[in-house]
C-alpha cells in the first residue's frame, strides 16, 4: 500500500520535473513579444486566459482553425470549445459553452436561463434560497454532488470529496463564460462521473485605468438585487472588484433570504510573457427553510400523517403552505487563490495555482417532523443546530507543450494536483425550536481528506485526425473520527464511536478521437483602421489579407472515459444510533462512451448530434429497513443500491434566421437565434436492491428551446423554455418523491442608451404561471416559483 509520505514525495518530484522541463523549453524556444509590442487601445474585456501580450495563435494547418493557444482564449462561434484551450485539451470530448452577455441581463442568478443552450444540463429550482443545483443525464442534481463545479478551474465544492455538496455559485454578472466538459472530464478536472462545469470569471479591461458599472433591480416579493463593479489597468497592474447584494421575502412564509458577496481580482504583469493573478472572495448568505409538502393519494395510506395525528401539509390544499416556521440556513465562505501563468513560447505554457479557504455551513432545524409534516410531540419543542466548518488548501500545476510529429503539431498537456481538507462537524440540541446556539453538544466529528492526482493527455494530430489518450491517477485518503455522539453512547446497549479511514488509489483512463470531415477556407481583406466616436469603446484596427481554415466545418468525435465517486464522510461513519454502513461498501465507478457529429456547415447554422452509453456501478444511497434483531426497529442503511445503465441521444441546433435571410452575412437588423436542444434518456438499475427502478433525476427527455434576439449591444430579448418529463428524486421511486413533468418559460429584455452607458432591463419568470415542483427533498416537496416579475436599470462609465 502506498504511504501518504511517498505519495506527496512523488508528486513533488513530478512537479519539479514539469518545472525543469518548462525551463528547458524556455532556453530552446522563441520568446513571445514584450508587452510594449501590444496595442493597449483594445477596449474589449479579456477573459481569464487573456494574455498580457499574446494574441490567439491560430495554426495554419487545415484543421486547426479552432485551436487556441496562449493566455487568450475566446471560443469561436462553434458548438464546442477550442481543440486546445490554454493548458487543457478538449479535442475528442463532448464540450459546450455559454456566455451570459449573449442574453439580456439575468437577474437573481437564474442559471436556468444562461445554460439554456447547453444540452442535457438540468437546473433544479430552489426558490427560497440562492443555492443552484446542477445535474446531468440522470445523475443526482441535489447540491450538484455528482457534477464537478469549478471557478476558473478550481473546485467550489464545500469539500471536494468528504463533503462534495455545493451551496455556492458565482454571481452571473461576474462570469465571462460557462464551460461544460463531459466525457474525459475526469482526466482534467477530477473524478466526478457527471462532467465538469467551469465558470470563467471576468478579467480587468486594459483600455483605461478605471471603469464603473452598477445594476440594480426590483421584483416580485420584495426582490432587490444590486451588483456594482470597478475595473481597469494602470501600468502592469489590473484589477476587477465587485460587490453583490440580493434579498427577497419569498412567496412562502419563512422563505426570505439575504446575500452579500464580493470579490477582488488583481492581475500583475511580471513580463511580456508571464503574470500573477491574485483573487480573494467573500460570501455570506442566510435564508429561511419553509419545509416541504406532501401529495394526496399515497398508496400506502399516508401512514406517517396518520401516525402523527394528521399533521401532513398537502400540496393540493395550497402550494404556499409551510411545514417549518423556524428553520434557517447560513453559509459563510472566504476563499483565495494565487495563479502564475507563463508562456515560454507559442508551444509551451505553464499554469500553477495555489488556493485555499474556509467555509461554514450552519443550520437550525426543528425536531419532531417528517416528510411534509408539521413537527409534533416533545421533540418539537427543541431543534438541532448543525455547523460544518471546512478548511482546505491545494495546488494545481499544469503544463502544455506542442511538438512536431509526422509533419504536424501534436500537444501534450499534464500536471499534478494536491488537495488537503479538514472538517469539524458539530450538532447541538437547542432548548427551543428557534435556538441559534446551545451548550448541549450532541455530536462532534472530525474529518480529514488528503488527495493527490497525476494526470496527462496527449493529442496526436495527423491532418484531419486527432487521437487523444489520457489518464488520471487519484490517490485519496479520507478519514472520520467521532469524538462525541450522545445517541450512541446512551443507547441500550451503547454503540461504540465511529472511527474509519479509507485509502484508495484509482487509475482512470480515457480515449478521445476527432476527425474533421469538412473544413473550408475563409479570407479576410485589408481594411483601414477607424475609430467611431459614436460608439462606446469602439475601435477598429487595420487587418491584413489572410487565408486560413474556416467554414464550413463538420467534425466526427468520440470518447470513452472512466469516472469515480469516492465515499463521503457520512458514508464512512453514520451519525445516528440507528444508522448502519455496510462494512463491504464499495465506491461508485462509472464509464461512459459517446460518438457524435458536430459542426457549423453554414455561417448561420451550428448543430450537434450524439449518442451515449453510461454504466454507473455500486451507486451508494440511504434507505430505511427493518432490523431483524429483537426488538424489530426501523434502521437507516447506507449501502450500494445497485448498478445502473444510461443510454440515449442528445441533439442541439442554433439557427440565426436573420443571417440566413441575408445570404449568410450578418444582418444589419441584428441576429435572431432560434435554438433547441434535447436529450432522450433511457435509464434503469440493472442490479442491486432497486433493480428495475429508475435512477434519480433520470427523466425520459429534457427539451430546452426558445429564441434570442440581439441588435448590436443595444437591444436584447430572450424567450427561454425548459421542458422535462416525469422523474424521481430517490432511487426507491417512492410515491412522495415523484416529480411530474413540467415546462417553464422565461421572457427577458434589455435596452441600452447613450452608447451603452445607460440601460434598462426587465423580465417575467415562469411566464405562463406553471404550477410545478422540481425538488422533493427529505423535508418534502418544494414548490417552484410561479409567475414573477423584475425590472432594473444599469449605469456604466
Amino acid at each position: 500500500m502506498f504511504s501518504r509520505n511517498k505519495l506527496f514525495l512523488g508528486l513533488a518530484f513530478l512537479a519539479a520535473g514539469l518545472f525543469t522541463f518548462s525551463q528547458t523549453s524556455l532556453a530552446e524556444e522563441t520568446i513571445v513579444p514584450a508587452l510594449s509590442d501590444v496595442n493597449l487601445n483594445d477596449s474589449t474585456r479579456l477573459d481569464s486566459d487573456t494574455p498580457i501580450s499574446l494574441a490567439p495563435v491560430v495554426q495554419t494547418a487545415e484543421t486547426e482553425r479552432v485551436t487556441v493557444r496562449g493566455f487568450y482564449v475566446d471560443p469561436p462561434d462553434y458548438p464546442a470549445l477550442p481543440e486546445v484551450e490554454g493548458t487543457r485539451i478538449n479535442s475528442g470530448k463532448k464540450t459546450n459553452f455559454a456566455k451570459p452577455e449573449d442574453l439580456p441581463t439575468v437577474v437573481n442568478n437564474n442559471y436556468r436561463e444562461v445554460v439554456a443552450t447547453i444540452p442535457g444540463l438540468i437546473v433544479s429550482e430552489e426558490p427560497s434560497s440562492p443555492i443552484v443545483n446542477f445535474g446531468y443525464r440522470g445523475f443526482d442534481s441535489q447540491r450538484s454532488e455528482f457534477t464537478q463545479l469549478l471557478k476558473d478551474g478550481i473546485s467550489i465544492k464545500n469539500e471536494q470529496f468528504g463533503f462534495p455538496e455545493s451551496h455556492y455559485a458565482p454571481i452571473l454578472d461576474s462570469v465571462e463564460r460557462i464551460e461544460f466538459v463531459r466525457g474525459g472530464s475526469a482526466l482534467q478536472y477530477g473524478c466526478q462521473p457527471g462532467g465538469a462545469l467551469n465558470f470563467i470569471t471576468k478579467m480587468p479591461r486594459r483600455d483605461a485605468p478605471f471603469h464603473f458599472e452598477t445594476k440594480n433591480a426590483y421584483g416580485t416579493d420584495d426582490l432587490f438585487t444590486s451588483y456594482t463593479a470597478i475595473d481597469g489597468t494602470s501600468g502592469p497592474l489590473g484589477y476587477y472588484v465587485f460587490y453583490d447584494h440580493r434579498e427577497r421575502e419569498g412567496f412562502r412564509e419563512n422563505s426570505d433570504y439575504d446575500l452579500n458577496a464580493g470579490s477582488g481580482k488583481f492581475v500583475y504583469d511580471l513580463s511580456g510573457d508571464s503574470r500573477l493573478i491574485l483573487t480573494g472572495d467573500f460570501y455570506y448568505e442566510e435564508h429561511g427553510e419553509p419545509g416541504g409538502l406532501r401529495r394526496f393519494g399515497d398508496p400506502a395510506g399516508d401512514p406517517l400523517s396518520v401516525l402523527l395525528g394528521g399533521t401532513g401539509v398537502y400540496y393540493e390544499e395550497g402550494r404556499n403552505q409551510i411545514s417549518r416556521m423556524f428553520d434557517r440556513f447560513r453559509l459563510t465562505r472566504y476563499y483565495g487563490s494565487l495563479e502564475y501563468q507563463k508562456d515560454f513560447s507559442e508551444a509551451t505554457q505553464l499554469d500553477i495555482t495555489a488556493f485555499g479557504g474556509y467555509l461554514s455551513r450552519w443550520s437550525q432545524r426543528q425536531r419532531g417532523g417528517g416528510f411534509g409534516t408539521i413537527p409534533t410531540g416533545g421533540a418539537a419543542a427543541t431543534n438541532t443546530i448543525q455547523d460544518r466548518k471546512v478548511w482546505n488548501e491545494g495546488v494545481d500545476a499544469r503544463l502544455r507543450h506542442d511538438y512536431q510529429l509526422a509533419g504536424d503539431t501534436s500537444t501534450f498537456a499534464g500536471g499534478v494536483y494536491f488537495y488537503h481538507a479538514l472538517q469539524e462537524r458539530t450538532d447541538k440540541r437547542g432548548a427551543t425550536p428557534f435556538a441559534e446556539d446551545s451548550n448541549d453538544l450532541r455530536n462532534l466529528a472530525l474529518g480529514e481528506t488528503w488527495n493527490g492526482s497525476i494526470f496527462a493527455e496527449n493529442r496526436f494530430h495527423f491532418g484531419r485526425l486527432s487521437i487523444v489518450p489520457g489518464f488520471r491517477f487519484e490517490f485519496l485518503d479520507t478519514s472520520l473520527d467521532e469524538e462525541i455522539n450522545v445517541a450512541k453512547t446512551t443507547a441500550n446497549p451503547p454503540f461504540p464511536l465511529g472511527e474509519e479511514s479509507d485509502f484508495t488509489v484509482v487509475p482512470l483512463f480515457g480515449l478521445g478521437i476527432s476527425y474533421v470531415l469538412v473544413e473550408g477556407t475563409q479570407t479576410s481583406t485589408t481594411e483601414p483602421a477607424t475609430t467611431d466616436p459614436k460608439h462606446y469603446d469602439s475601435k477598429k484596427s487595420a487587418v491584413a489579407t489572410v487565408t486560413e481554415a474556416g467554414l464550413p466545418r463538420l467534425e466526427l468525435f468520440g470518447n470513452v472515459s472512466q469516472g469515480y465517486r469516492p465515499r463521503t464522510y457520512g458514508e464512512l461513519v453514520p451519525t445516528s444510533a440507528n444508522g448502519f454502513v455496510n462494512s463491504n461498501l464499495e465506491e461508485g465507478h462509472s464509464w461512459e462512451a459517446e460518438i457524435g457529429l458536430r459542426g457549423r456547415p453554414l455561417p448561420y447554422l451550428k448543430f450537434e448530434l450524439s449518442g451515449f452509453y453510461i454504466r454507473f456501478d455500486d451507486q451508494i444511497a440511504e434507505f430505511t429497513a427493518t432490523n431483524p434483531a429483537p426488538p424489530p426497529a426501523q434502521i437507516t442503511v447506507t449501502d450500494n443500491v445497485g448498478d445502473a445503465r444510461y443510454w440515449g441521444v442528445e441533439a442541439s441546433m442554433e439557427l440565426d434566421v436573420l443571417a440566413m435571410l441575408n445570404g449568410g452575412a450578418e444582418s444589419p437588423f441584428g441576429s435572431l437565434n432560434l435554438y433547441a436542444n434535447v436529450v432522450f434518456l433511457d435509464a434503469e438499475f440493472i442490479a442491486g436492491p432497486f433493480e428495475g427502478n429508475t435512477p434519480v433525476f433520470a427523466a425520459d427527455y429534457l427539451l430546452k428551446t426558445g429564441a434570442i434576439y440581439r441588435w448590436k449591444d443595444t437591444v436584447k430579448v430572450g424567450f427561454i423554455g425548459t421542458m422535462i418529463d416525469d422523474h424521481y428524486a430517490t432511487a426507491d421511486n417512492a410515491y412522495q418523491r415523484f416529480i411530474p413533468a413540467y415546462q417553464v418559460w422565461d421572457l427577458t429584455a434589455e435596452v441600452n442608451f447613450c452608447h451603452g452607458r445607460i440601460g434598462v432591463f426587465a423580465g417575467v419568470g415562469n411566464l405562463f404561471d406553471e404550477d410545478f415542483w422540481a425538488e422533493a427533498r427529505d423535508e418534502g416537496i418544494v414548490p417552484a416559483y410561479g409567475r414573477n416579475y423584475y425590472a432594473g436599470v444599469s449605469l456604466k462609465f
Side-chain angles (χ1 to χ4, degrees):
M1 179 178 291
F2 291 92
S3 71
R4 187 181 299 166
N5 291 336
K6 289 181 180 178
L7 163 63
F8 298 138
L9 183 61
L11 291 175
F13 276 125
L14 183 56
L18 286 172
F19 182 74
T20 302
F21 173 76
S22 62
Q23 294 299 316
T24 304
S25 300
L26 174 62
E28 294 175 350
E29 298 169 348
T30 305
I31 305 300
V32 296
L35 179 62
S36 58
D37 297 329
V38 180
N39 178 12
L40 296 181
N41 290 326
D42 182 11
S43 63
T44 58
R45 184 184 300 280
L46 305 180
D47 65 29
S48 66
D49 292 311
T50 300
I52 298 302
S53 61
L54 287 180
V57 179
V58 183
Q59 302 295 316
T60 57
E62 183 180 23
T63 62
E64 286 293 291
R65 186 184 68 85
V66 295
T67 296
V68 181
R69 295 175 168 86
F71 293 157
Y72 178 72
V73 175
D74 186 14
D77 192 13
Y78 187 70
L81 287 167
E83 310 269 21
V84 178
E85 179 188 12
T87 56
R88 298 171 176 86
I89 296 174
N90 297 318
S91 180
K93 300 181 178 71
K94 171 97 169 180
T95 64
N96 296 97
F97 66 93
K99 295 181 179 181
E101 69 174 11
D102 291 339
L103 291 167
T105 294
V106 175
V107 168
N108 204 30
N109 237 24
N110 190 340
Y111 271 91
R112 182 182 68 217
E113 296 181 21
V114 175
V115 301
T117 58
I118 297 180
L121 189 63
I122 182 175
V123 179
S124 298
E125 307 296 315
E126 191 161 335
S128 62
S129 82
I131 297 173
V132 184
N133 301 297
F134 296 99
Y136 184 63
R137 288 182 178 173
F139 294 121
D140 194 347
S141 64
Q142 288 298 308
R143 303 295 181 261
S144 308
E145 189 169 332
F146 290 86
T147 301
Q148 175 67 293
L149 298 188
L150 309 125
K151 190 175 82 167
D152 297 324
I154 300 301
S155 174
I156 58 174
K157 292 294 184 76
N158 295 344
E159 200 275 72
Q160 193 169 343
F161 299 99
F163 184 29
E165 300 179 1
S166 181
H167 296 90
Y168 161 77
I171 178 67
L172 282 168
D173 294 289
S174 71
V175 174
E176 183 77 24
R177 68 182 181 274
I178 302 168
E179 301 179 346
F180 192 31
V181 181
R182 285 78 135 191
S185 63
L187 307 179
Q188 300 184 68
Y189 296 116
C191 55
Q192 284 80 359
L197 200 61
N198 191 12
F199 307 106
I200 307 298
T201 60
K202 293 178 180 178
M203 293 286 282
R205 284 171 285 189
R206 297 174 51 213
D207 62 314
F210 182 77
H211 294 275
F212 174 84
E213 174 185 13
T214 184
K215 297 179 181 179
N216 298 272
Y218 296 86
T220 304
D221 297 320
D222 296 329
L223 172 68
F224 173 65
T225 68
S226 178
Y227 177 84
T228 302
I230 58 173
D231 75 290
T233 300
S234 178
L237 179 64
Y239 65 94
Y240 185 92
V241 180
F242 73 81
Y243 169 71
D244 170 38
H245 173 73
R246 284 171 270 161
E247 63 180 72
R248 192 174 209 167
E249 286 303 310
F251 70 95
R252 303 167 70 196
E253 192 175 352
N254 193 36
S255 64
D256 61 296
Y257 61 83
D258 188 275
L259 181 151
N260 292 279
S263 179
K265 179 182 288 188
F266 303 91
V267 182
Y268 187 77
D269 172 34
L270 296 173
S271 63
D273 54 33
S274 62
R275 64 182 179 181
L276 290 172
I277 303 175
L278 175 65
T279 304
D281 299 335
F282 80 88
Y283 183 92
Y284 175 85
E285 71 95 349
E286 177 178 344
H287 65 264
E289 296 183 326
L293 310 179
R294 298 178 65 80
R295 298 170 61 203
F296 278 136
D298 195 322
D302 217 357
L304 181 60
S305 177
V306 174
L307 180 64
L308 297 178
T311 59
V313 183
Y314 293 94
Y315 193 97
E316 292 85 352
E317 293 182 336
R319 65 193 315 273
N320 290 2
Q321 297 181 92
I322 69 171
S323 58
R324 301 291 187 276
M325 284 289 297
F326 311 109
D327 292 7
R328 307 289 295 179
F329 177 97
R330 294 176 191 158
L331 184 73
T332 305
R333 184 180 186 271
Y334 300 99
Y335 221 78
S337 66
L338 178 62
E339 182 176 7
Y340 172 68
Q341 295 181 338
K342 176 72 173 180
D343 250 343
F344 296 108
S345 72
E346 295 178 359
T348 305
Q349 182 177 342
L350 178 69
D351 192 331
I352 302 175
T353 304
F355 58 89
Y358 162 81
L359 177 141
S360 171
R361 175 220 171 274
W362 178 95
S363 63
Q364 63 178 50
R365 285 166 179 161
Q366 188 177 6
R367 299 175 64 238
F371 186 92
T373 60
I374 297 174
T376 59
T382 62
N383 73 354
T384 297
I385 305 164
Q386 183 185 108
D387 192 7
R388 291 193 178 193
K389 297 178 180 178
V390 178
W391 299 263
N392 60 31
E393 66 278 339
V395 177
D396 183 279
R398 299 171 182 266
L399 176 74
R400 191 214 79 239
H401 179 67
D402 299 337
Y403 60 95
Q404 294 299 306
L405 179 67
D408 219 321
T409 301
S410 293
T411 301
F412 166 85
V416 294
Y417 179 80
F418 165 78
Y419 176 83
H420 174 249
L422 291 171
Q423 177 188 266
E424 177 187 277
R425 172 177 170 173
T426 61
D427 293 88
K428 299 178 180 181
R429 179 69 53 81
T432 65
F434 46 83
E436 295 191 4
D437 201 1
S438 171
N439 294 323
D440 186 2
L441 181 61
R442 311 291 293 185
N443 299 296
L444 171 60
L446 304 177
E448 186 171 18
T449 296
W450 297 85
N451 170 238
S453 304
I454 303 171
F455 53 91
E457 293 180 296
N458 197 95
R459 182 191 183 213
F460 296 101
H461 183 227
F462 309 105
R464 295 176 179 267
L465 176 66
S466 294
I467 302 174
V468 188
F471 74 88
R472 184 182 186 99
F473 283 97
E474 290 281 356
F475 303 85
L476 185 63
D477 188 354
T478 306
S479 62
L480 185 74
D481 296 331
E482 283 190 314
E483 302 290 326
I484 299 173
N485 192 322
V486 174
K488 290 183 178 180
T489 55
T490 59
N492 186 19
F495 287 81
L497 296 179
E499 181 178 349
E500 190 72 32
S501 63
D502 183 30
F503 181 81
T504 309
V505 180
V506 183
L508 301 171
F509 297 94
L511 176 66
I513 299 177
S514 171
Y515 185 79
V516 178
L517 298 171
V518 177
E519 181 78 68
T521 59
Q522 60 184 15
T523 302
S524 301
T525 57
T526 303
E527 297 181 12
T530 61
T531 299
D532 185 355
K534 296 181 180 180
H535 291 281
Y536 181 54
D537 286 346
S538 174
K539 296 183 189 288
K540 186 175 183 180
S541 301
V543 181
T545 301
V546 60
T547 301
E548 61 184 22
L551 299 176
R553 181 182 171 90
L554 292 176
E555 174 191 8
L556 278 172
F557 68 94
N559 185 275
V560 179
S561 60
Q562 294 177 291
Y564 171 69
R565 199 271 189 181
R567 296 168 67 176
T568 66
Y569 292 136
E571 293 162 358
L572 288 172
V573 177
T575 303
S576 63
N578 66 341
F580 295 89
V581 174
N582 187 341
S583 59
N584 297 318
L585 189 70
E586 295 287 340
E587 296 90 348
H589 294 81
S590 71
W591 66 270
E592 178 176 357
E594 184 152 16
I595 186 169
L597 174 68
R598 63 191 173 201
R600 196 175 176 198
L602 298 166
Y604 47 82
L605 174 67
K606 53 186 176 181
F607 78 95
E608 186 173 62
L609 175 65
S610 65
F612 60 88
Y613 182 88
I614 304 171
R615 274 291 299 269
F616 189 5
D617 294 342
D618 296 320
Q619 294 197 41
I620 300 173
E622 286 186 353
F623 58 91
T624 301
T626 301
N627 186 1
Q634 292 294 106
I635 59 175
T636 301
V637 179
T638 300
D639 202 352
N640 297 112
V641 296
D643 303 339
R645 64 107 181 99
Y646 312 74
W647 67 272
V649 175
E650 202 165 79
S652 64
M653 180 275 295
E654 295 184 43
L655 172 69
D656 184 349
V657 176
L658 295 182
M660 179 181 67
L661 297 176
N662 198 42
E666 182 178 350
S667 171
F669 302 104
S671 64
L672 176 59
N673 182 28
L674 301 183
Y675 74 90
N677 56 78
V678 64
V679 56
F680 294 104
L681 177 66
D682 185 287
E684 183 181 8
F685 283 106
I686 57 175
F690 296 135
E691 183 176 353
N693 282 12
T694 302
V696 297
F697 289 90
D700 285 351
Y701 67 83
L702 170 61
L703 170 64
K704 295 188 283 188
T705 186
I708 302 170
Y709 173 75
R710 181 171 181 171
W711 181 60
K712 301 180 180 179
D713 283 327
T714 303
V715 178
K716 300 177 186 178
V717 180
F719 185 48
I720 310 297
T722 301
M723 284 147 275
I724 186 168
D725 197 18
D726 302 337
H727 52 286
Y728 290 94
T730 52
D732 59 2
N733 292 179
Y735 174 82
Q736 293 290 356
R737 305 300 181 98
F738 176 71
I739 300 176
Y742 64 85
Q743 59 176 300
V744 56
W745 292 83
D746 302 312
L747 178 63
T748 59
E750 174 185 344
V751 180
N752 295 301
F753 309 93
C754 301
H755 311 301
R757 292 183 173 90
I758 301 174
V760 294
F761 52 89
V764 183
N766 194 357
L767 179 65
F768 301 112
D769 202 21
E770 176 82 353
D771 185 358
F772 74 101
W773 67 87
E775 289 195 334
R777 304 177 45 167
D778 290 343
E779 64 268 28
I781 293 166
V782 181
Y785 236 104
R787 186 185 295 118
N788 59 98
Y789 309 86
Y790 67 83
V793 296
S794 64
L795 176 65
K796 302 176 184 178
F797 62 82

